[in-house]
Amino acid sequence: MARRYSVQFDNVSNATGTYAIALVNSISTVQAARARIYDFIIGSRASVADNACTYNFQRFTAAGTSTAFTPVALDPGDAASLAASGVNATVTPTYTANAYLLNISANQRATFRWIAAPGSELVIPATTANGIGVKGTPTTAFNVDGSILFEE
Amino acid sequence: MAKIAGGILCDDHQIADTKQCVHCGRHWQWEHGSGKVRGYCMNCGGITCGNKRCHKCIPWEKKLELYEKGKLKTLC
């Protein structure tokens, strides 16, 4: 049975300049396990305002620079994740052109969630430094909170 | 009708479905009458995203394997 993990981002700006709100990537081909993103939740605790933002899931081949976040196992009995994750990137990952996996537009007032049907997850290949990042393109930047759930 | 590959919830209400390309794994929100041209692969038995790179049939799992072996430059 697949092991499931959570990556959380807390009070992170969705400004275009931060390049990635959150990301998940393979550490090494040795792991021989693909990470699969199956759930994404995002909302904002900032003061109420009408700001729109488009969130893009895009593939990358190098992770750039971000604040490392150790994925939390949903089952405490599971081993540590073989994948790495980060939040609030300050140096852009090397995104693959046109490799958009999911584009969503949402208002700051709404809490938004995307869930994959079993077998339809966003798959990260077991190739070193390959991963998927979530980028924000807002009309006016605001801070967001949320989680990415993945299995491997 | 193509298989539902995902769901979008806003404030706990499901507001839309997403579909997935059988050749690149991309999801998109299903909108009737959007006018966007998608495709259908008779070999894989599923819809494709409409991207030119997905016109040729390389099943998604096969594409992943080729990429991990270094025989494919990009996944999309």
Side-chain angles (χ1 to χ4, degrees):
Chain A
M1 189 172 167
R3 296 177 300 187
R4 296 179 293 167
Y5 301 90
S6 167
V7 176
Q8 292 170 31
F9 46 96
D10 183 47
N11 218 20
V12 173
S13 172
N14 64 1
T16 307
T18 55
Y19 305 113
I21 296 166
L23 52 92
V24 179
N25 64 283
S26 298
I27 299 172
S28 164
T29 52
V30 177
Q31 68 191 50
R34 295 170 183 158
R36 298 168 186 269
I37 296 173
Y38 66 89
D39 202 332
F40 173 70
I41 308 164
I42 194 164
S44 176
R45 62 173 132 146
S47 298
V48 176
D50 266 329
N51 293 314
C53 183
T54 299
Y55 300 98
N56 301 312
F57 285 70
Q58 192 170 2
R59 289 192 185 284
F60 61 79
T61 52
T65 304
S66 61
T67 304
F69 183 93
T70 304
V72 179
L74 298 190
D75 181 341
D78 281 344
S81 169
L82 297 171
S85 68
V87 298
N88 201 16
T90 51
V91 174
T92 182
T94 307
Y95 285 112
T96 306
N98 300 318
Y100 294 107
L101 295 171
L102 181 66
N103 295 346
I104 300 294
S105 293
N107 191 286
Q108 179 186 334
R109 290 174 185 265
T111 297
F112 169 89
R113 185 179 185 193
W114 169 80
I115 310 167
S120 297
E121 302 87 357
L122 302 177
V123 185
I124 297 167
T127 302
T128 308
N130 273 237
I132 294 173
V134 183
K135 299 193 298 184
T137 309
T139 50
T140 301
F142 55 95
N143 284 9
V144 292
D145 314 276
S147 298
I148 294 175
L149 304 184
F150 69 94
E151 63 180 27
E152 60 183 23
Chain B
M1 186 67 182
K3 173 190 164 194
I4 294 170
I8 292 173
L9 288 81
C10 203
D11 294 336
D12 266 352
H13 298 284
Q14 185 167 356
I15 55 168
D17 296 328
T18 61
K19 306 290 181 181
Q20 188 177 34
C21 176
V22 291
H23 290 167
C24 73
R26 180 186 168 195
H27 280 251
W28 66 89
Q29 190 173 324
W30 186 253
E31 295 175 56
H32 288 284
S34 70
K36 291 176 182 168
V37 178
R38 310 292 183 186
Y40 188 88
C41 178
M42 299 294 281
N43 185 39
C44 298
I47 51 177
T48 60
C49 62
N51 188 324
K52 281 183 182 175
R53 293 177 190 170
C54 291
H55 287 182
K56 182 181 175 185
C57 176
I58 307 177
W60 176 226
E61 280 292 326
K62 180 70 178 174
K63 202 175 264 188
L64 273 171
E65 287 172 14
L66 291 173
Y67 182 78
E68 287 169 349
K69 288 175 183 170
K71 295 178 179 175
L72 200 64
K73 283 187 177 176
T74 60
L75 274 176
C76 278

